[in-house]
Amino acid sequence: MPELPEVQTILNTLFPRLADSVFDRVEVLRPDYVHPAAICLPELLGGRILRNVSRRGKRLIFTLNDSNGFLIHLGMTGRLSLLPSLAPRGPHTHLVLTLRLPNESLELHLSDPRRFGEFLWLGDRPGDTGLGVEPLEMSTRQLADLLLASRRPIKSLLLDQSAIAGLGNIYVDESLFRAGIHPLTPANALSESAPRLRLAIRQTLLKALRHRGSTLRDYVDAEGGKGSFQRLHAVYGRERLPCRVCRTPIQRILILGRSTCFCPQCQHLPTY
DNA sequence: GTCCATGTTCTTTA
DNA sequence: CTAAAGAACATGGA
C-alpha cells in the first residue's frame, strides 16, 4: 500500500500530534507481528518519551528519549491510525500504543490484514540499514552511478530498495512515464538520461506528496484522510485506457512479477 | 472458483 | 558473479 508519498503523509499527520508524548499502555494483540520475538514491549516502552519520528525509504523510524527506537514497515496493507483513547479495535489490529499528552491520551493502532509489514525493535541500532539513496535527496551523479553499474531493466533497478529507497510499483511506473523511458530499458543505457530521470522522479513524488498520496483501495493517513493522486495517474492502473498525452492505449506487461504499465508511444525502448 | 493487489525475501534457474 | 523467475507469506475484493 504505502510508498514514499503515503509513508511521508502518514508521518506528517502523526508526529506533530504525538511529539513528546509518553508511552503508557502497550497492547500486543498479535505477538508474531512484533520482532524480535523475545522482547517485552511494555517494559521497553512504558514511561519513555517519543522524541522523533522520521521516514527512511518506506520505513517509519521512531526514536525515544532513552535513545532506543523501533521501526514500522507497513508492507502492502499496513495502516497506522491515531485515535481517541478507548477507540474500538478494528479487525486485524495487531498493536495498540496509548500515548499520554498534557491534556489528553491518544491511541496509535497498527493494523495490517495481510501482515506483510512488521514492527521491529531497534534498540540503539540505526533503522536505515540496507537502504539505498533517498530519491528526493539523490544527486544526478548518484543516479548516474547507479544506472551505470547495472544492466537490469530500469524498472527493476528503481524498485530495488537497496539502490533507491522509497519507490514502489506505482511511482516507478509514473516516474518512467514522466521521463519518457520504457520500463525494460537496460539501466546502463540510460546514464545520459540521469538528469531527466532524476527530475521525473522528483516531480512525480513532489506532486504525489501535494496530493497526499494515492488511495487505490484503502490507504489512509494517520487521521483517516485519503490521498487523491490516483486521479492523476498517467499509466498505473490504466491498462487499455488512452494515454493522456497521445491517446495510444496503455500497455501492461510483467517485470519482476509486478504489473508494469506504460505508453508504448511515449516511452521508447532505445534501438541499438 | 479465478485473478489480482501500493512489498519483501528466499530459493531455484540460467 | 548477475539477475530473472517463481514461490512464499496472508487476506480480501472484483
Side-chain angles (χ1 to χ4, degrees), chain A residues 1-17 55 74 80 82 136 170-171 203-233:
Chain A
M1 170 191 284
E3 305 180 27
L4 186 151
E6 291 78 26
V7 177
Q8 184 66 46
T9 303
I10 291 168
L11 168 56
N12 294 345
T13 50
L14 191 67
F15 183 59
R17 295 184 58 191
R55 179 195 58 74
L74 295 167
L80 275 173
L82 202 47
L136 290 173
I170 296 174
Y171 296 105
Q203 290 176 335
T204 299
L205 293 176
L206 291 174
K207 195 167 177 185
L209 281 165
R210 283 201 298 277
H211 291 269
R212 308 173 66 85
S214 303
T215 296
L216 297 181
R217 181 168 284 117
D218 47 14
Y219 160 73
V220 289
D221 65 31
E223 294 173 320
K226 296 182 178 187
S228 62
F229 188 66
Q230 69 283 356
R231 295 186 207 134
L232 302 179
H233 288 176

Side-chain angles (χ1 to χ4, degrees), chain A residues 219-264:
Chain A
Y219 160 73
V220 289
D221 65 31
E223 294 173 320
K226 296 182 178 187
S228 62
F229 188 66
Q230 69 283 356
R231 295 186 207 134
L232 302 179
H233 288 176
V235 287
Y236 184 86
R238 299 195 69 245
E239 183 186 12
R240 291 189 297 272
L241 294 174
C243 171
R244 297 193 196 280
V245 172
C246 73
R247 317 312 291 171
T248 303
I250 299 301
Q251 259 184 37
R252 186 175 81 101
I253 59 174
L254 280 187
I255 300 178
L256 286 178
R258 315 294 304 279
S259 268
T260 300
C261 295
F262 66 101
C263 170

Side-chain angles (χ1 to χ4, degrees), chain A residues 14-42:
Chain A
L14 191 67
F15 183 59
R17 295 184 58 191
L18 286 184
D20 298 314
S21 58
V22 180
F23 286 90
D24 193 353
R25 226 150 93 83
V26 175
E27 297 162 82
V28 181
L29 304 159
R30 183 176 265 278
D32 65 1
Y33 200 79
V34 174
H35 295 95
I39 61 168
C40 176
L41 212 48

Side-chain angles (χ1 to χ4, degrees), chain A residues 60-202:
Chain A
L60 284 170
I61 298 170
F62 293 69
T63 312
L64 315 180
N65 61 320
D66 63 3
S67 82
N68 284 330
F70 58 86
L71 73 78
I72 292 174
H73 192 292
L74 295 167
M76 290 274 253
T77 55
R79 179 185 291 199
L80 275 173
S81 310
L82 202 47
L83 299 167
S85 54
L86 304 176
R89 284 108 183 82
H92 309 295
T93 298
H94 309 316
L95 181 65
V96 175
L97 303 176
T98 302
L99 293 131
R100 221 168 40 234
L101 285 153
N103 299 313
E104 61 176 341
S105 274
L106 292 171
E107 286 184 5
L108 185 60
H109 291 211
L110 175 55
S111 65
D112 184 358
R114 287 173 75 177
R115 280 180 269 143
F116 287 177
E118 71 167 349
F119 176 106
L120 178 64
W121 182 255
L122 292 168
D124 57 8
R125 290 170 301 140
D128 65 346
T129 47
L131 292 183
V133 62
E134 278 293 318
L136 290 173
E137 290 163 20
M138 142 181 94
S139 67
T140 302
R141 181 74 255 157
Q142 280 177 302
L143 178 58
D145 288 346
L146 283 170
L147 293 169
L148 223 34
S150 170
R151 291 153 43 169
R152 310 158 72 180
I154 185 61
K155 163 110 184 188
S156 304
L157 180 67
L158 296 182
L159 279 177
D160 183 346
Q161 302 300 301
S162 70
I164 300 179
L167 300 177
N169 214 22
I170 296 174
Y171 296 105
V172 168
D173 282 7
E174 292 299 312
S175 297
L176 288 175
F177 174 81
R178 186 177 270 266
I181 294 171
H182 192 292
L184 286 172
T185 312
N188 62 355
L190 285 167
S191 55
E192 311 264 296
S193 310
R196 183 163 48 97
L197 179 54
R198 175 180 169 277
L199 189 63
I201 291 169
R202 260 192 99 66

